[in-house]
């Protein structure tokens, strides 16, 4: 192990990461090859021609991208139980892969670095940190330079409960000589076991198990009492969830028998509950119930037929409960897959599948013809794929009366989280693709009762996957977006269905747009339970309590403070339905939609008053469902035994770093990693402007750090949807992997461009008009700014925003150049052709009904003018901007780009198409990323900075020279087009 006391040196300024003496630099730099292939100074005009006259830092290059230093979110981050130490990973590569970790005090200046990415653990008393480095197991004494190393270590294990909660009292490690050493980390006592093949702890941390080579001997060692039980001929085992019972799968070649044994670990007594002398009968799956009193397992015979067996405490032997022809299993269905107990342990859940019929031999003389009939419920092209998909139906067996209830039938699906107690929620699914027929989308939902197998239909549409069962199992709740966003409760005791949000103002739930007349997204926000009959839900801003019986009026816990101040509140931490009580204190993460500030509030459930603000500032800390952007943030990490949290904070100009807090009001910085300070980085501004229809829009303007307001800058507008929420998010530099750069603007900004990322305000049923309204409005606004060169503006989109962008390309006159990728420039072709992936389905439904953004354009034949207006290939004659097309050979939407290119070429419109052989929707390979980054920059340099065009633009690259010549060279004499004034100017300057 290389042990370091940290002092990072970053770049030419030698910025100090930590105020400690330098012992060694952790940085495995990836050096760019010395050949001319990636010579940015030679090939990229803006790499050597900066607009600003201010003395500045180096601009970003490939070496900076490949060796970018960061703290990857959530990787190798742990806090000790007392909160006085943390460990976190460091990456020195663009992929965020951890290559070293740092161990650091939160209360002093002590810290040490460890080369390598192997995760370790804190001991339960927060005195040790242990980890493996190659063949050494290292025990570091926290707060000092003392450490102990054990050599020749193959592996180590800690109890899983310790891994999850930090209660690491025990460790076991195996040496090269096959000995396993068990050590108590609190007392230091050790016990050695010899000749071990494999070892591990059970989930509860009560037992160490290890297996010996002699006749598959399994030893189970009790960590608390030091006692052990030994079992022979074991080839598999499983503990119950409480660590009180052990199941053993046994086999003995000497007596030619295999079986299943149940072991009560209070005395170690093993009971044989199933055995066989037929080697073709094998146990394929087994499970204990939650109390460890029942066992279910699947036995598969030589013909691969399955039977389900059951044993409970008190029975002498397991009994076969089900086989393929058992009562209750429909003819033609076979038992498949796993079997398990339901949550109340009263039923066995298993699966049935139709018997695969032997295919009849094909008559070679028969005519092989596909007959497409307009009455077909499924397209002929899709039917072969559906035949290959084997249906599987969920069923349950009632252990009390032996009744089998098939929950799912043909064209039905059990809803996610759909079984609780004695009921299941099942929903029908469409059996055809005739989306235009009214009854097609009317999926029905049923409550299936296990006591008699009866079904009760629900009168309200259930939004999937919004179903939740209450903690006591007496209610299930669902969200119905069709009713302008309402929550319904179904009382499983009396069958009463109630709209529990009926008294909340209409349209409060499920809307994600400030303007209810615009985009409406039916998304539920169930976030927790309050007692037995309270449900916590969130609207766009605030947190509400709804009564499960619908009798008590809804309570706005945050008192409407969020809506009043345009602040979104959510419960801090990982997503999940927590159970709370009155007087519980909730930590709320918050985001202000006006200022884009992020921070925390505190609220005590059931106590009157507004939530208490702890901190709100111009930064990004923790992501919220309901905000946009490219950053992820980090959940606060709490110490198990102390009110100490570790958080990660960032801004657009400050890289993410770790802070410690005790109250979420004051934050002490623990790290100061700022690699961007070594380069010409960026700054951000939130701009408000008017769309073409006069409504107010927002966007983020990215400017170079060396920005000179006396100069005029070219601008690239990159768009997708609503992205202004990323104002304070740190977007690390990276290669350009597609034309759209809202998530990685640093490269272009560092090279002297302004990048503007505006929100698109989607108007239902017309995403083209929405794009023009928002993006053209943004372009006209930018032209009014004194430092913007209004004649040199570009636009870039990809995928859905490529679809939007092609509309912009044929309707706008504001852009000197555009780059678009993906999308659907020929909307008619995209809608009426079969998808080239998956099931060969039609894409018409998506385009008519649910296209991303504004939704579909409606019935094609009833809205011909609208569809024609959105079909870019029909309007290429109106386009004035040079276009760089991006669509790769492994991308499924290739055909539309072919059509777009052919049309552009036919009309002699300046256009270039970059198509990478081994890439799909975006680029992933480094060589291709570098290539596209260079060509993308060259393209915009030419049209927005008057740089000479590269040879690939002036001459192209013949197929015979593909892979031989890149033609990055700037061509001073050539011309990219007869009407290109930039090329004419370059040629004149060269001749002079």
């Amino acid at each position: 192990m290389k042990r370091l006391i940290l002092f990072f040196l970053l770049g030419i300024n030698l910025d100090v990461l930590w105020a400690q003496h330098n012992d060694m630099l952790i940085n495995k730099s990836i050096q760019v090859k010395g050949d001319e292939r990636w010579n940015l100074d030679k090939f990229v005009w803006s790499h050597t021609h900066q607009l600003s006259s201010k003395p500045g830092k180096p601009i970003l290059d490939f070496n900076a991208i490949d060796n970018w230093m960061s703290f990857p979110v959530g990787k190798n981050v742990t806090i000790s139980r007392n909160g006085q130490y943390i460990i976190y990973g460091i990456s020195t590569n663009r992929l965020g892969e951890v290559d070293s970790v740092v161990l650091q005090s939160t209360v002093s200046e002590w810290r040490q670095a460890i080369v390598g990415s192997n995760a370790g653990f804190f001991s339960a008393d927060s005195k040790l940190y242990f980890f493996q480095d190659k063949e050494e197991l290292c025990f570091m004494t926290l707060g000092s330079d003392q450490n102990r190393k054990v050599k020749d270590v193959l592996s180590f294990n800690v109890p899983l409960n310790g891994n999850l909660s930090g209660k690491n009292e025990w460790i076991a490690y195996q040496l090269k000589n096959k000995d396993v050493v068990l050590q108590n980390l609190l007392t230091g006592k050790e016990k050695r076991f010899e000749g071990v093949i494999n070892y591990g702890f059970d989930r509860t941390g009560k037992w160490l198990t290890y297996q010996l080579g002699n006749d598959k001997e399994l030893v189970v060692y009790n960590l608390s009492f030091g006692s052990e039980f030994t079992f022979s001929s074991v080839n598999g085992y499983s503990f119950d969830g409480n660590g009180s019972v052990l199941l053993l799968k046994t086999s003995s070649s000497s007596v030619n028998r295999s079986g299943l044994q149940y072991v009560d670990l209070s005395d170690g007594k093993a009971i044989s509950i199933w055995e066989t002398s037929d080697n073709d009968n094998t146990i394929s799956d087994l499970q204990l119930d939650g109390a460890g009193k029942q066992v279910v397992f699947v036995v598969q015979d030589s013909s691969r037929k399955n039977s389900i067996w059951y044993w409970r405490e008190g029975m002498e032997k397991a009994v076969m409960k089900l086989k393929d022809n058992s009562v209750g299993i429909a003819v033609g269905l076979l038992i498949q897959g796993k079997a398990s107990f339901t949550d109340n342990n009263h039923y066995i859940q298993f699966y049935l599948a139709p018997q695969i019929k032997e295919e009849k031999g094909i008559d070679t003389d028969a005519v092989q013809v596909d007959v497409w009939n307009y009455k077909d419920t499924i397209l002929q092209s899709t039917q072969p794929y559906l035949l290959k998909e084997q249906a599987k139906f969920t069923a349950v067996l009632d252990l009390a009366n032996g009744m089998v209830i098939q929950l799912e039938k043909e064209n039905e699906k059990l809803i996610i989280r759909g079984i609780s107690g004695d009921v299941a929620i099942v929903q029908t699914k469409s059996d055809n693709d005739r989306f235009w027929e009214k009854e097609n989308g009317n999926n029905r939902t049923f409550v299936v009762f296990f006591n008699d197998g009866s079904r009760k239909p629900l009168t309200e549409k259930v939004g999937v996957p919004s179903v939740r069962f209450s903690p006591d199992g007496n209610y299930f709740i669902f969200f119905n977006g069709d009713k302008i966003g309402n929550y319904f409760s179904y009382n499983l005791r009396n069958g009463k269905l109630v709209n529990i949000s009926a008294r909340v103002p209409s349209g409060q739930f499920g809307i994600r747009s400030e303007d209810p007349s615009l985009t409406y997204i039916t998304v539920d926000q169930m976030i927790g339970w309050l007692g037995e009959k309270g449900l916590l839900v969130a609207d766009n801003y605030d947190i509400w309590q709804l009564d499960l019986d619908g009798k008590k009026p809804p309570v706005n816990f945050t008192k409407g403070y969020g809506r009043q101040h345009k602040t979104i509140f959510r419960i801090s931490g990982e997503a999940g339905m927590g159970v709370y009580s009155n007087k519980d204190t909730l930590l709320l993460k918050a985001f202000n939609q006006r200022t884009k500030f992020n921070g925390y509030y505190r609220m005590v459930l059931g106590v009157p008053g507004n939530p208490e603000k702890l901190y709100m500032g111009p930064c990004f800390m923790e992501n919220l469902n309901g905000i946009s952007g490219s950053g992820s943030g980090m959940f606060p990490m709490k110490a198990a035994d102390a009110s100490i949290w570790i958080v990660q904070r960032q801004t657009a100009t400050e890289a993410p770093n770790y802070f410690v807090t005790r109250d979420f009001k004051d934050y002490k910085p623990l790290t100061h990693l700022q690699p961007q300070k070594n380069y010409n980085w960026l700054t951000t501004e939130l701009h408000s402007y008017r769309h073409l229809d006069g409504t107010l829009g927002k966007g983020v303007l990215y400017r170079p750090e060396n920005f000179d307001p006396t100069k005029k800058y070219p601008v690239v507008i990159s768009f997708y949807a609503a992205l202004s929420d990323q104002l304070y998010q740190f977007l690390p530099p990276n290669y350009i992997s597609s034309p759209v750069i809202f998530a990685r603007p640093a490269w272009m900004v560092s090279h002297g461009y302004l990048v503007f990322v505006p929100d698109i305000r989607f108007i239902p049923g017309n995403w083209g008009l929405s794009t023009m309204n928002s993006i053209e409005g943004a372009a006209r606004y930018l032209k009014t700014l004194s430092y913007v060169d209004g004649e040199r503006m570009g636009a870039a989109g990809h995928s859905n925003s490529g679809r939007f962008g092609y509309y912009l390309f044929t309707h706008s006159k504001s852009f000197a150049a555009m780059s678009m990728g993906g999308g659907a420039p020929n909307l008619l072709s995209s809608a009426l052709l079969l998808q080239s992936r998956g099931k060969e389905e039609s894409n018409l439904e998506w385009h008519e009904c649910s296209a991303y953004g504004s939704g579909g354009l409606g019935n094609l034949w009833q809205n011909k003018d609208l569809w024609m207006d959105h079909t870019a290939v029909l309007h290429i004659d109106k386009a004035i901007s040079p276009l760089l097309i991006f669509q790769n050979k492994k991308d499924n939407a290739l055909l539309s780009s072919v059509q777009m290119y052919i049309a552009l070429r036919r009309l002699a419109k300046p256009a270039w198409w970059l198509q990478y052989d081994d890439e799909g929707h975006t680029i992933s390979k480094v060589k291709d990323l570098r290539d596209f980054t260079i060509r993308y920059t060259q393209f915009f340099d030419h049209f927005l900075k008057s740089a000479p065009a590269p040879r690939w633009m002036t001459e192209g690259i013949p197929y015979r020279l593909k892979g031989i010549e890149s033609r990055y060279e700037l061509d001073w004499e050539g011309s990219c087009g007869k009407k290109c004034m930039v090329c004419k100017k370059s040629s004149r300057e060269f001749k002079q």
Side-chain angles (χ1 to χ4, degrees):
M1 179 192 72
K2 297 179 181 178
R3 194 162 58 83
L4 314 171
I5 296 179
L6 275 184
F7 174 76
F8 277 88
L9 303 179
L10 300 180
I12 60 172
N13 289 331
L14 304 182
D15 292 335
V16 178
L17 175 56
W18 288 288
Q20 291 278 68
H21 295 294
N22 177 41
D23 186 9
M24 181 177 177
L25 173 67
I26 304 179
N27 191 342
K28 305 170 186 175
S29 293
I30 305 170
Q31 298 299 327
V32 177
K33 290 183 178 180
D35 60 33
E36 289 293 293
R37 184 170 42 157
W38 312 121
N39 189 332
L40 299 178
D41 288 345
K42 181 178 180 180
F43 300 133
V44 179
W45 177 269
S46 58
H47 205 71
T48 54
H49 295 73
Q50 286 289 294
L51 183 61
S52 176
S53 59
K54 294 182 179 180
K57 302 171 184 176
I59 59 180
L60 290 168
D61 56 19
F62 292 166
N63 191 59
I65 290 174
D66 288 334
N67 298 287
W68 195 257
M69 190 176 289
S70 64
F71 300 128
V73 175
K75 292 186 179 179
N76 298 64
V77 184
T78 310
I79 185 170
S80 63
R81 292 185 64 85
N82 65 4
Q84 295 188 15
Y85 297 93
I86 63 168
I87 186 86
Y88 51 87
I90 296 177
S91 169
T92 56
N93 58 79
R94 69 179 183 87
L95 299 177
E97 296 171 344
V98 173
D99 41 35
S100 57
V101 294
V102 177
L103 184 61
Q104 178 174 344
S105 170
T106 63
V107 295
S108 71
E109 296 300 314
W110 183 88
R111 58 181 57 81
Q112 289 194 355
I114 305 163
V115 175
S117 60
N118 293 336
F121 303 95
F122 290 105
S123 61
D125 57 7
S126 302
K127 293 182 179 179
L128 293 174
Y129 180 78
F130 52 94
F131 64 97
Q132 186 170 358
D133 179 34
K134 297 180 181 178
E135 294 183 354
E136 289 184 340
L137 184 61
C138 308
F139 296 83
M140 300 183 67
T141 302
L142 298 175
S144 76
D145 292 337
Q146 300 177 5
N147 66 82
R148 180 172 68 92
K149 303 176 187 177
V150 180
K151 298 183 179 299
D152 299 326
V153 173
L154 296 177
S155 64
F156 78 92
N157 259 310
V158 295
L160 184 60
N161 71 335
N163 190 350
L164 296 176
S165 65
K167 296 179 181 178
N168 291 312
E169 182 180 351
W170 296 93
I171 184 174
Y173 55 91
Q174 187 168 36
L175 302 173
K176 277 186 174 182
N177 64 5
K178 300 300 183 181
D179 287 0
V180 167
V181 178
L182 174 68
Q183 179 182 341
N184 187 300
L185 294 170
L186 302 183
T187 65
K189 292 183 179 180
E190 294 183 352
K191 184 174 179 61
R192 186 177 291 251
F193 308 95
E194 299 179 349
V196 175
I197 296 177
N198 57 63
Y199 69 105
F201 295 95
D202 77 308
R203 288 184 63 88
T204 66
K206 295 179 181 178
W207 303 93
L208 170 73
T209 62
Y210 59 95
Q211 200 152 10
L212 304 175
N214 48 325
D215 198 25
K216 296 179 283 189
E217 186 175 350
L218 178 72
V219 181
V220 183
Y221 180 85
N222 188 290
L223 298 178
S224 298
F225 303 107
S227 57
E228 62 183 30
F229 304 117
T230 303
F231 309 96
S232 60
S233 303
V234 177
N235 57 15
Y237 61 93
S238 176
F239 287 90
D240 75 325
N242 300 315
S244 57
V245 169
L246 179 65
L247 280 181
L248 302 175
K249 290 172 66 175
T250 61
S251 64
S252 174
S253 56
S254 60
V255 296
N256 194 31
R257 298 193 70 81
S258 60
L260 186 64
Q261 297 182 3
Y262 175 91
V263 181
D264 185 341
L265 290 173
S266 63
D267 57 13
K269 183 179 179 180
I271 302 172
S272 175
I273 63 174
W274 180 86
E275 60 182 4
T276 181
S277 58
D278 187 346
N279 291 331
D280 291 327
N281 287 342
T282 59
I283 295 176
S284 62
D285 182 65
L286 60 88
Q287 189 190 67
L288 282 152
D289 72 353
K293 304 295 185 182
Q294 302 179 102
V295 180
V296 62
F297 55 98
V298 178
V299 175
Q300 189 173 87
D301 64 19
S302 58
S303 62
R304 301 187 66 80
K305 289 188 176 182
N306 297 309
S307 55
I308 295 177
W309 293 69
Y310 170 77
W311 179 91
R312 70 172 183 273
E313 197 173 51
M315 293 175 62
E316 183 176 347
K317 292 288 184 180
V319 296
M320 184 175 67
K321 281 288 188 179
L322 292 171
K323 57 183 179 179
D324 289 338
N325 59 355
S326 294
V327 175
I329 296 180
V331 176
L333 295 182
L334 306 178
I335 296 171
Q336 295 289 328
K338 299 180 178 181
S340 59
F341 292 102
T342 60
D343 59 349
N344 64 3
N345 300 321
H346 293 169
Y347 307 91
I348 294 174
Q349 180 179 338
F350 64 100
Y351 302 94
L352 298 168
Q355 184 174 3
I356 300 176
K357 298 180 180 179
E358 294 185 7
E359 293 186 6
K360 297 180 179 179
I362 298 176
D363 183 353
T364 56
D365 292 331
V367 176
Q368 298 300 309
V369 56
D370 291 335
V371 179
W372 295 60
N373 190 310
Y374 79 103
K375 294 181 180 180
D376 287 345
T377 55
I378 300 289
L379 283 175
Q380 282 283 324
S381 56
T382 306
Q383 292 178 33
Y385 294 89
L386 297 181
L387 288 175
K388 295 176 183 178
E389 293 182 352
Q390 185 177 12
K392 188 168 71 171
F393 308 118
T394 305
V396 293
L397 169 69
D398 189 331
L399 290 170
N401 58 27
M403 183 169 67
V404 172
I405 303 168
Q406 184 177 328
L407 302 180
E408 297 172 317
K409 299 177 182 178
E410 196 74 35
N411 300 314
E412 291 182 349
K413 193 67 179 175
L414 184 71
I415 284 179
I416 298 173
R417 299 181 297 270
I419 294 181
S420 180
D422 300 324
V423 300
I425 313 299
V426 176
Q427 193 170 71
T428 62
K429 57 182 181 178
S430 176
D431 62 350
N432 65 71
D433 59 12
R434 302 170 71 88
F435 65 90
W436 58 91
E437 296 177 346
K438 184 177 180 181
E439 59 273 16
N440 179 271
N442 295 332
N443 294 334
R444 295 178 297 163
T445 304
F446 300 90
V447 182
V448 183
F449 296 92
F450 295 173
N451 60 336
D452 59 4
S454 63
R455 292 181 163 211
K456 181 174 180 178
L458 294 178
T459 57
E460 296 289 341
K461 183 176 180 180
V462 177
V464 178
S466 68
V467 169
R468 298 285 197 287
F469 286 92
S470 62
D472 60 10
N474 290 326
Y475 302 83
F476 80 85
I477 321 299
F478 62 90
F479 180 75
N480 184 352
D482 284 358
K483 289 293 182 72
I484 317 185
N486 276 296
Y487 291 92
F488 288 81
S489 167
Y490 184 86
N491 189 318
L492 293 168
R493 294 169 299 180
N494 58 27
K496 189 175 182 180
L497 181 66
V498 180
N499 182 346
I500 59 177
S501 60
R503 286 184 275 182
V504 175
S506 178
Q508 197 92 340
F509 298 119
I511 295 177
R512 288 291 168 267
S513 171
E514 283 298 284
D515 185 346
S517 68
L518 301 180
T519 307
Y520 181 78
I521 305 176
T522 53
V523 178
D524 76 277
Q525 283 288 337
M526 289 188 256
I527 58 177
W529 304 98
L530 183 60
E532 293 184 357
K533 291 193 175 183
L535 172 70
L536 297 181
V537 300
D539 64 16
N540 259 21
Y541 300 100
D542 293 294
I543 295 175
W544 294 75
Q545 177 193 353
L546 303 178
D547 177 47
L548 295 186
D549 285 323
K551 296 178 180 179
K552 297 179 181 178
V555 178
N556 189 322
F557 268 141
T558 46
K559 313 302 179 188
Y561 182 94
R563 187 167 295 275
Q564 180 184 355
H565 295 87
K566 299 301 178 188
T567 298
I568 302 172
F569 288 120
R570 298 292 183 264
I571 298 174
S572 176
E574 298 190 43
M577 293 283 286
V579 180
Y580 306 99
S581 302
N582 268 323
K583 309 302 181 182
D584 279 355
T585 299
L586 295 186
L587 178 66
L588 303 179
K589 52 187 175 183
F591 183 85
N592 186 288
Q593 287 193 321
R594 287 174 178 159
T595 64
K596 313 301 179 183
F597 284 14
N598 191 201
Y600 295 95
Y601 282 69
R602 182 166 51 207
M603 178 180 73
V604 180
L605 293 175
V607 174
N610 292 327
E612 176 193 0
K613 182 168 71 173
L614 303 176
Y615 171 82
M616 288 290 283
C619 64
F620 180 66
M621 301 173 74
E622 185 178 356
N623 204 5
L624 290 80
N625 189 357
I627 72 170
S628 61
S630 307
S632 57
M634 188 185 94
F635 300 130
M637 184 173 292
K638 184 183 180 299
D641 297 333
S643 295
I644 298 175
W645 288 263
I646 301 300
V647 299
Q648 197 179 70
R649 192 166 73 185
Q650 61 184 274
T651 71
T653 58
E654 296 178 346
N657 277 278
Y658 292 110
F659 294 74
V660 62
T661 183
R662 293 177 178 271
D663 55 12
F664 287 89
K665 295 180 181 179
D666 299 310
Y667 300 86
K668 173 188 172 183
L670 296 175
T671 61
H672 303 275
L673 177 60
Q674 301 296 346
Q676 77 285 352
K677 289 188 175 180
N678 296 298
Y679 301 95
N680 182 31
W681 194 239
L682 52 76
T683 62
T684 60
E685 288 181 342
L686 184 64
H687 284 244
S688 296
Y689 64 96
R690 294 290 174 184
H691 292 154
L692 297 185
D693 64 2
T695 56
L696 189 65
K698 291 182 179 179
V700 179
L701 182 64
Y702 294 88
R703 306 191 309 189
E705 183 180 324
N706 65 348
F707 175 75
D708 185 346
T710 66
K711 305 291 186 180
K712 283 190 173 292
Y713 287 80
V715 182
V716 175
I717 299 180
S718 181
F719 50 90
Y720 204 92
L723 294 165
S724 62
D725 290 346
Q726 71 180 30
L727 175 68
Y728 294 113
Q729 294 175 11
F730 186 87
L731 306 177
N734 212 325
Y735 295 110
I736 299 173
S737 60
S738 72
V740 71
I741 57 171
F742 63 81
R744 50 191 68 186
W747 176 269
M748 295 299 284
V749 174
S750 186
H751 283 75
Y753 289 86
L754 305 182
V755 173
F756 190 60
V757 180
D759 293 341
I760 298 180
R761 175 179 176 269
F762 287 112
I763 302 167
N766 199 321
W767 46 261
L769 179 62
S770 304
T771 303
M772 274 295 289
N773 185 43
S774 301
I775 308 305
E776 182 68 16
R780 295 184 186 183
Y781 163 73
L782 291 172
K783 289 180 181 180
T784 68
L785 301 179
S786 62
Y787 49 82
V788 169
D789 189 339
E791 300 301 317
R792 300 187 180 190
M793 301 178 66
H798 179 65
S799 192
N800 282 304
S801 70
R803 172 165 50 95
F804 308 152
Y806 281 122
Y807 185 93
L808 188 72
F809 172 67
T810 56
H811 287 72
S812 174
K813 308 297 182 183
S814 294
F815 299 97
M818 291 190 184
S819 180
M820 298 297 159
N826 189 343
L827 203 63
L828 294 173
S829 173
S830 177
L832 296 176
L833 287 176
L834 300 175
Q835 293 182 5
S836 59
R837 63 185 185 279
K839 302 176 182 178
E840 297 293 326
E841 298 171 301
S842 165
N843 213 23
L844 182 59
E845 178 181 5
W846 189 80
H847 282 291
E848 281 198 6
C849 305
S850 57
Y852 177 85
S854 298
L857 299 178
N859 186 304
L860 167 56
W861 293 270
Q862 295 175 3
N863 299 278
K864 289 181 182 178
D865 290 343
L866 183 63
W867 276 75
M868 295 299 179
D869 182 50
H870 281 70
T871 302
V873 292
L874 300 180
H875 304 283
I876 289 177
D877 56 317
K878 303 173 187 175
I880 66 166
S881 305
L883 181 66
L884 179 64
I885 302 172
F886 173 87
Q887 191 100 43
N888 301 316
K889 289 191 175 179
K890 293 185 178 181
D891 195 348
N892 294 308
L894 191 61
L895 183 58
S896 277
S897 290
V898 173
Q899 296 164 344
M900 186 70 175
Y901 173 78
I902 290 174
L904 287 164
R905 183 169 175 265
R906 166 65 180 83
L907 296 178
K909 298 286 185 178
W912 297 262
W913 181 4
L914 298 180
Q915 183 186 51
Y916 294 87
D917 285 2
D918 297 324
E919 304 290 356
H921 198 52
T922 60
I923 297 177
S924 60
K925 294 180 173 61
V926 173
K927 64 177 182 179
D928 296 337
L929 285 166
R930 289 179 175 175
D931 182 87
F932 183 63
T933 300
I934 289 175
R935 297 187 196 275
Y936 183 92
T937 312
Q938 287 180 325
F939 173 79
F940 280 117
D941 277 357
H942 178 60
F943 290 111
L944 304 190
K945 288 195 169 188
S946 297
R951 285 182 61 212
W952 64 268
M953 288 178 65
T954 60
E955 300 176 8
I957 301 178
Y959 184 81
R960 61 184 174 81
L961 296 178
K962 177 182 175 181
I964 299 173
E965 294 185 8
S966 65
R967 296 194 174 178
Y968 294 148
E969 302 88 353
L970 301 183
D971 188 351
W972 287 85
E973 296 184 274
S975 175
C976 72
K978 295 179 180 179
K979 298 181 180 180
C980 181
M981 301 306 296
V982 178
C983 288
K984 291 179 180 179
K985 180 181 176 182
S986 298
S987 180
R988 286 197 304 268
E989 291 178 356
F990 178 78
K991 292 176 180 178
Q992 292 174 358

